[in-house]
Amino acid sequence: MNNTDDNLDNIEQEAVANIFDERLKKLDELKADGISSYSSGFDPVDHALDIFTKYNDLPDEELSSQQIECSIAGRIVGLRNFGKAAFVHIADSSGKIQAYFRKDVLIEQYTLLKKLDVGDIIGLNGRLFRTKTKELTIEVKSFTLLTKSLRPLPEKWHGLKDIEIRYRQRYVDLIVNPEVKKLFELRSVAIKAIRDFLESRKFIEVETPMLHSIPGGAAARPFSTHHNALDMDLYLRIAPELYLKKLLVGGFERVFELNKNFRNEGISTKHNPEFTMLEFYMAYKDYLFLMSFTEELFCHVAQVVNGTLKITYGETIISLTPPWKRLTFMDALKENGVPEDILSNKETALTWARQNKIDVKTGSSYGKILDEIFSEKVEPNLIQPTFIIDYPVELSPLAKRHKDNPDFVERFELFIAAREVANAFSELNDPIDQRSRFERQVEARDTGDDEAHRMDEDFLRALEYGMPPAAGEGIGIDRMIMLLTNSQSIRDVIMFPQLRPEQ
């Protein structure tokens, strides 16, 4: 930032401080007049959108003759005072509407108007009429100050385009940017659509612990904490998978959880350490069934949220119309320019990766090397919905081996717009094989892989009682919402993303 920018910031901060002081004086004056600036409540009967829906098309004569009374509460987002009259725009949760204040109607209460500012929250009662400019308006008969705002709202968001400030002060972002509020309303619609879809197919929603003694269910670094009463270290959940599969053992056949997961990893436009995940499990199904099920789920949610299976994402039109492309992991590498002969063993793959400046950690397994190559060479090209299927067994310690090739597993990842949005597989229910996989994961941890799984004896014990054949899936809700709302950063769809402490 240059000196000019610093000077502008100082001027803006001084202006805000002056306004803050002026409003504090008004607050003291209101107290002296016996007027509460922070009222206990108000009972609005109407909302702005409902008023427009019911009466905006009503002819002027009928509007006048019906003497329609209404009561509304909201935040002042515009105020023009002309001395003996004032026009005020009030915004509530549904939209905004104009209110007309007349001195000869309000008489003594009109003096209170002089102490109101943009940002204050008021409740009012009045009669509907239409102005000379044909705007539906409430002529105010009485009003109440509900909350005095001490800080000024930004002028149409000028000077507050800094994306970090918008994330940090999301409450202001929501006030002044209706499209942001609409995005989070659509997020809520999408989550409800997911619940409706699953519950209509006989799934039940469950809750599993967020504090784990052993982090499991995904390859990720956990956040750690300490339980004082039990005097034990615990981890924030990286995935609910193992608990949900224990429920399959216990006799539940279809379960799902919409959950918060926490992974101690980097932050980017695609990653946030705290994120929302849908995980669901179905007894007696496999990953092939889940691909069609996933197409159906995504299409249902897209139709409910946007009314179409065509998604505009950036400059790309994405079609969700099934069937979606299916491609094996190894074929995807070949189709994207990776020579077939380098896929034959670890050493040739490692050499090729380094020649192509692909970052591969020292000591990585063959599967991990292939996965790094995939991330660099394949993933950026997966724009339209594509199922990448049949992964190397080393990458999938909880998935069932492929019946035709035990070096691979029955797994798919769904990619849309060059990012993974879902991960699923036929669940491994053989406790002997699962123990062997955990042992290899423990060996990987010992050689420096801090994302490898740990041994979980209780989960193994559950499998030893017998888990039915099943298929399970995790869907990144935040990434799904990004697609449905044309949002380019995951932080845009998280209400309060984690940020560094304010300086």
Side-chain angles (χ1 to χ4, degrees):
M1 182 178 288
N2 58 39
N3 290 335
T4 302
D5 291 333
D6 286 338
N7 291 336
L8 286 173
D9 281 348
N10 291 335
I11 291 170
E12 289 177 4
Q13 289 172 14
E14 185 176 346
V16 169
N18 290 337
I19 293 172
F20 192 90
D21 290 341
E22 289 173 10
R23 294 192 179 189
L24 281 177
K25 290 179 184 177
K26 289 182 180 180
L27 190 66
D28 291 337
E29 291 169 2
L30 289 166
K31 289 179 182 178
D33 293 339
I35 298 173
S36 172
S37 299
Y38 302 100
S39 300
S40 297
F42 185 83
D43 188 19
V45 177
D46 306 290
H47 283 87
L49 180 60
D50 295 334
I51 292 172
F52 279 106
T53 301
K54 291 179 183 177
Y55 305 116
N56 200 41
D57 294 330
L58 203 64
D60 290 355
E61 303 78 20
E62 290 187 43
L63 191 64
S64 178
S65 65
Q66 290 187 26
Q67 298 286 301
I68 299 166
E69 300 288 331
C70 57
S71 169
I72 195 168
R75 188 183 297 274
I76 297 175
V77 292
L79 195 160
R80 292 175 294 151
N81 197 325
F82 301 105
K84 294 184 178 181
F87 285 98
V88 175
H89 277 98
I90 307 294
D92 64 13
S93 61
S94 69
K96 68 179 181 178
I97 191 168
Q98 182 171 261
Y100 179 52
F101 293 70
R102 287 175 51 185
K103 186 175 183 179
D104 61 343
V105 172
L106 295 166
I107 310 174
E108 293 181 4
Q109 200 181 21
Y110 193 79
T111 60
L112 173 58
L113 189 66
K114 296 179 181 179
K115 294 184 174 62
L116 297 185
D117 296 291
V118 171
D120 290 353
I121 299 172
I122 64 172
L124 59 85
N125 299 285
R127 178 184 60 84
L128 281 179
F129 78 104
R130 198 169 275 113
T131 64
K132 292 179 181 179
T133 59
K134 301 302 180 182
E135 183 171 353
L136 195 63
T137 303
I138 303 171
E139 183 178 1
V140 180
K141 299 296 180 62
S142 65
F143 70 96
T144 303
L145 173 61
L146 301 175
T147 302
K148 184 66 185 169
S149 172
L150 298 181
R151 291 183 178 271
L153 294 178
E155 291 284 341
K156 297 181 181 178
W157 213 226
H158 289 325
L160 275 177
K161 293 181 180 178
D162 185 307
I163 197 70
E164 181 170 322
I165 296 177
R166 287 186 52 214
Y167 294 152
R168 193 180 299 280
Q169 299 180 22
R170 182 68 87 186
Y171 38 87
V172 182
D173 191 18
L174 292 167
I175 292 171
V176 301
N177 284 328
E179 68 277 10
V180 175
K181 184 167 175 287
K182 179 65 176 176
L183 184 154
F184 286 104
E185 289 172 345
L186 290 176
R187 180 184 175 112
S188 180
V189 169
I191 289 174
K192 182 179 185 301
I194 290 169
R195 279 195 167 98
D196 291 344
F197 179 89
L198 293 172
E199 288 173 353
S200 70
R201 288 154 179 80
K202 299 183 179 179
F203 282 81
I204 66 166
E205 185 171 5
V206 298
E207 295 174 289
T208 62
M210 294 179 69
L211 292 175
H212 292 185
S213 57
I214 299 174
R221 289 189 299 271
F223 288 93
S224 60
T225 186
H226 186 78
H227 195 302
N228 289 334
L230 296 176
D231 190 23
M232 62 184 295
D233 292 332
L234 293 171
Y235 302 91
L236 298 185
R237 173 171 60 195
I238 60 174
E241 178 170 341
L242 303 188
Y243 280 97
L244 292 173
K245 289 199 281 195
K246 290 175 185 178
L247 295 179
L248 296 181
V249 174
F252 288 99
E253 294 185 358
R254 296 190 176 195
V255 294
F256 77 94
E257 184 172 11
L258 280 156
N259 56 80
K260 284 287 188 182
N261 291 334
F262 307 87
R263 298 180 184 177
N264 202 346
E265 57 189 20
I267 296 175
S268 71
T269 57
K270 297 188 292 184
H271 297 89
N272 197 69
E274 177 185 352
F275 61 97
T276 303
M277 178 77 79
L278 164 69
E279 286 212 20
F280 61 90
Y281 292 81
M282 307 174 71
Y284 311 114
K285 300 296 183 184
D286 64 8
Y287 80 132
L288 296 176
F289 174 87
L290 276 194
M291 281 187 266
S292 298
F293 189 85
T294 302
E295 291 172 342
E296 191 179 354
L297 170 59
F298 269 75
C299 289
H300 170 76
V301 176
Q303 286 285 9
V304 170
V305 173
N306 292 329
T308 178
L309 297 183
K310 298 283 188 182
I311 295 175
T312 300
Y313 194 72
E315 298 180 355
T316 304
I317 302 297
I318 294 173
S319 173
L320 295 181
T321 302
W324 299 344
K325 185 176 181 180
R326 303 182 184 189
L327 192 62
T328 70
F329 179 85
M330 300 300 278
D331 285 343
L333 289 168
K334 297 172 191 175
E335 279 196 11
N336 285 273
V338 181
E340 185 172 355
D341 59 346
I342 73 101
L343 301 175
S344 58
N345 63 66
K346 176 179 176 178
E347 294 307 318
T348 56
L350 179 60
T351 300
W352 189 88
R354 288 179 172 166
Q355 287 173 346
N356 285 270
K357 299 180 179 179
I358 297 172
D359 185 25
V360 177
K361 292 181 180 178
T362 302
S364 292
S365 66
Y366 176 44
K368 281 287 183 72
I369 296 168
L370 294 181
D371 195 39
E372 293 294 345
I373 295 173
F374 179 93
S375 296
E376 289 288 328
K377 298 297 183 180
V378 180
E379 190 169 331
N381 302 320
L382 300 176
I383 307 301
Q384 298 299 325
T386 304
F387 292 114
I388 300 297
I389 67 174
D390 302 347
Y391 280 71
V393 69
E394 293 169 294
L395 297 176
S396 313
L398 297 167
K400 187 183 290 290
R401 292 182 189 270
H402 198 286
K403 58 181 177 293
D404 297 326
N405 188 340
D407 292 332
F408 293 85
V409 294
E410 296 184 354
R411 173 188 174 190
F412 72 76
E413 287 186 305
L414 169 63
F415 290 86
I416 307 176
R419 63 176 61 99
E420 176 208 339
V421 293
N423 180 30
F425 35 83
S426 302
E427 301 296 337
L428 176 58
N429 60 344
D430 177 346
I432 308 302
D433 191 2
Q434 184 64 82
R435 179 177 291 278
S436 175
R437 305 263 199 105
F438 276 162
E439 287 171 349
R440 284 197 290 276
Q441 288 288 301
V442 170
E443 291 173 2
R445 284 189 63 80
D446 291 341
T447 58
D449 185 354
D450 56 1
E451 293 186 351
H453 284 70
R454 308 182 191 205
M455 183 65 69
D456 190 328
E457 291 290 350
D458 185 59
F459 178 65
L460 291 170
R461 179 170 55 195
L463 291 185
E464 288 165 358
Y465 278 98
M467 186 180 85
E473 181 168 350
I475 296 175
I477 296 299
D478 305 313
R479 291 185 179 181
M480 174 190 272
I481 304 302
M482 287 173 67
L483 289 168
L484 296 175
T485 59
N486 194 15
S487 300
Q488 302 306 306
S489 172
I490 195 169
R491 292 187 179 190
D492 291 338
V493 301
I494 295 174
M495 198 76 83
F496 296 103
Q498 189 66 48
L499 302 169
R500 295 181 187 278
E502 211 168 348
Q503 297 299 316

